Amino acid sequence: MTLPLIPLATVRHHHLARHRLCEAPTGPGKGADLQQMLEDLTFVQLDSINTVARAHHMILHARRANYRPKALDRMLADRHVFEHWTHDASAIHIENFAHWRLKFARDAVTLKARYKNWRRAGYDEKFQTILKRISDHGPCCSGDVGEDEKKGSGGWWDWHPSKTALEYLWRSAELSVTRREGFRKFYDLTERVIPPEHLNARFTPEETVNHACTTALDNLGFATSGEMAAFWDIITPAEAKDWCASELAQGDLIEVMLETAQGKPRRSFARPDVLDVPLMEPTKRIRILSPFDPALRDRKRTERLFDFHYRIEVFVPEAKRKYGYYVFPVLEGDRIIGRIDMKADRARNTMAVRAFWPEAGVRMGSGRIKALTTAIGRSAKLAAVADIEFAADWLR
């Protein structure tokens, strides 16, 4: 049977629309508006790098120009989101909490095996001490525990046992993040953080597999079983594959071929009515995206959709880098037009723009340069710096 071929422009359009990147980035970016955005995106990845602003703030700002960081802090305080792990640490819409119990249980087992090689011994002996301390005295951060323990000298991940215990108790849901100060997590007992209607809800593993695959497909539009499993990273590829086979047999999924930027069609799944959903045309406004934006997180998918090869060049020596190690993708309409290297120099109250590299075939006429400069100005407001400074050779 010949499968229907979906044009690349249609696939790209669905992808951006479902990631809320087609509409104009207007709206208050707080309160009910932000809550709906988080519900639609389902999660935003948290990251500590603050070159312009932290990843989660840039993700939300790309969709709401009026968004400011305190608004997400309010979402956590009001328990509209909880912090936990997808493929990385993320702020996740609270409606998903009960489904995370499957991940809590699995992480409790897998992390013990990993920590034998990754962490110093003795962390499990600290569990009851830490739980009693938090129970009796309230939330704490990693700096509040392990006062008598030798601090590590092996780098960022060389944790003392009590810090490892905190992380394990969080990953296994004995503790939850109640707030952040700067980027420091403060942990409290989960029953004191998560609202009862979510804390006490229970789902079977089969229901969670269905939820994970359904929400992944809703957010991606078209996806392989592997992409569905990777979206949340709470179920296995085998579970996603079995779910797809069952849904296909029932007629609740169809198979399609997706046109790609490289020309080789890719077989994927979709809902039977996927093309019946009316979509808004993408705005032509230029947006500067976080490297961890959910629309770009899957690097291979990004290449297929946009012919855009992106990696963070952390371990590449500076002399061999084509770009800066942490550069920001730039989206215009439904096209990624380049990447920009810029940094908020807060001591000088300035956004320092070092370089912009257009993608092949992108002409930087005066109108596009003006639109890019305006987008840089919006990022400067997010970073709370007043001025913009361009290097002499910034336009490459």
Side-chain angles (χ1 to χ4, degrees):
M1 181 178 66
T2 302
L3 299 177
L5 179 65
I6 312 299
L8 176 59
T10 302
V11 180
R12 189 182 288 176
H13 194 166
H14 273 268
H15 181 82
L16 292 173
R18 290 161 189 266
H19 285 92
R20 300 290 298 271
L21 286 172
C22 281
E23 65 205 70
T26 55
K30 59 184 178 180
D33 179 58
L34 181 59
Q35 185 178 348
Q36 185 62 56
M37 179 68 68
L38 290 164
E39 185 174 353
D40 291 346
L41 293 177
T42 65
F43 71 92
V44 291
Q45 183 171 330
L46 302 168
D47 190 76
S48 62
I49 295 177
N50 199 18
T51 305
V52 168
R54 292 192 169 98
H56 38 295
H57 300 316
M58 291 192 71
I59 290 166
L60 295 168
H61 182 257
R63 292 154 175 84
R64 288 291 184 266
N66 290 321
Y67 167 82
R68 293 297 180 268
K70 286 185 179 180
L72 184 59
D73 293 338
R74 175 52 53 192
M75 290 293 106
L76 178 61
D78 291 344
R79 307 310 179 203
H80 295 306
V81 297
F82 70 101
E83 288 195 23
H84 212 266
W85 215 258
T86 55
H87 49 280
D88 214 320
S90 299
I92 306 161
H93 195 270
I94 194 65
E95 293 294 336
N96 297 285
F97 180 84
H99 288 291
W100 243 248
R101 290 195 175 279
L102 181 63
K103 186 169 183 64
F104 299 152
R106 289 176 174 178
D107 279 358
V109 175
T110 58
L111 287 180
K112 278 190 176 179
R114 291 177 189 172
Y115 282 3
K116 286 182 180 179
N117 298 320
W118 291 6
R119 303 287 182 251
R120 281 185 266 160
Y123 72 90
D124 50 344
E125 299 169 7
K126 305 294 182 179
F127 289 167
Q128 293 308 313
T129 301
I130 286 174
L131 289 171
K132 186 174 187 328
R133 174 175 182 157
I134 293 174
S135 178
D136 293 347
H137 302 290
C140 74
C141 68
S142 61
D144 297 327
V145 298
E147 299 94 329
D148 59 345
E149 296 170 23
K150 181 181 179 181
K151 300 300 187 285
S153 58
W156 182 262
W157 298 107
D158 187 8
W159 297 347
H160 59 78
S162 289
K163 178 174 173 59
T164 302
L166 271 177
E167 185 77 4
Y168 181 88
L169 291 168
W170 170 54
R171 293 287 296 272
S172 58
E174 293 280 351
L175 301 176
S176 289
V177 175
T178 186
R179 70 179 190 275
R180 281 183 182 259
E181 292 182 7
F183 204 66
R184 286 189 304 162
K185 297 195 292 278
F186 281 77
Y187 305 86
D188 201 353
L189 301 179
T190 291
E191 59 264 30
R192 298 201 298 222
V193 175
I194 304 300
E197 63 270 28
H198 302 293
L199 180 68
N200 298 325
R202 294 292 187 275
F203 294 101
T204 66
E206 292 75 19
E207 288 172 320
T208 292
V209 169
N210 181 65
H211 173 79
C213 291
T214 298
T215 52
L217 191 56
D218 286 345
N219 276 270
L220 297 172
F222 309 92
T224 64
S225 62
E227 288 170 334
M228 292 182 216
F231 180 83
W232 286 116
D233 196 27
I234 62 174
I235 64 172
T236 67
E239 288 169 333
K241 186 175 181 179
D242 289 345
W243 181 88
C244 288
S246 175
E247 292 288 294
L248 191 64
Q250 296 174 54
D252 292 328
L253 279 187
I254 60 172
E255 287 188 284
V256 295
M257 298 300 291
L258 307 181
E259 192 174 56
T260 68
Q262 291 75 31
K264 183 179 179 180
R266 182 174 175 82
R267 192 174 186 135
S268 291
F269 295 104
R271 292 300 188 188
D273 61 350
V274 63
L275 297 182
D276 297 336
V277 179
L279 295 179
M280 159 191 319
E281 283 297 315
T283 175
K284 296 297 183 184
R285 186 167 180 164
I286 288 180
R287 310 176 200 236
I288 298 172
L289 303 181
S290 163
F292 302 114
D293 194 287
L296 306 178
R297 182 190 65 80
D298 185 334
R299 304 302 195 212
K300 291 182 179 179
R301 186 181 177 94
T302 297
E303 289 185 43
R304 292 194 299 271
L305 281 171
F306 301 103
D307 197 22
F308 183 71
H309 179 81
Y310 184 80
R311 297 288 186 276
I312 298 175
E313 297 183 319
V314 177
F315 302 111
V316 178
E318 188 170 357
K320 294 185 178 181
R321 288 178 188 153
K322 184 176 181 181
Y323 312 106
Y325 96 92
Y326 195 85
V327 297
F328 303 97
V330 179
L331 179 72
E332 180 188 61
D334 65 352
R335 182 184 186 187
I336 298 177
I337 62 169
R339 60 199 87 199
I340 191 165
D341 186 346
M342 61 185 190
K343 182 176 182 179
D345 186 338
R346 293 176 174 85
R348 296 193 302 123
N349 199 25
T350 297
M351 182 69 74
V353 181
R354 299 164 177 168
F356 173 76
W357 295 270
E359 287 293 284
V362 173
R363 292 184 64 253
M364 294 303 294
S366 59
R368 185 170 272 150
I369 292 173
K370 182 179 178 181
L372 176 59
T373 302
T374 300
I376 295 168
R378 290 193 291 269
S379 293
K381 287 183 179 179
L382 175 66
V385 295
D387 301 319
I388 303 174
E389 177 183 88
F390 293 90
D393 61 344
W394 75 278
L395 191 57
R396 302 297 174 89

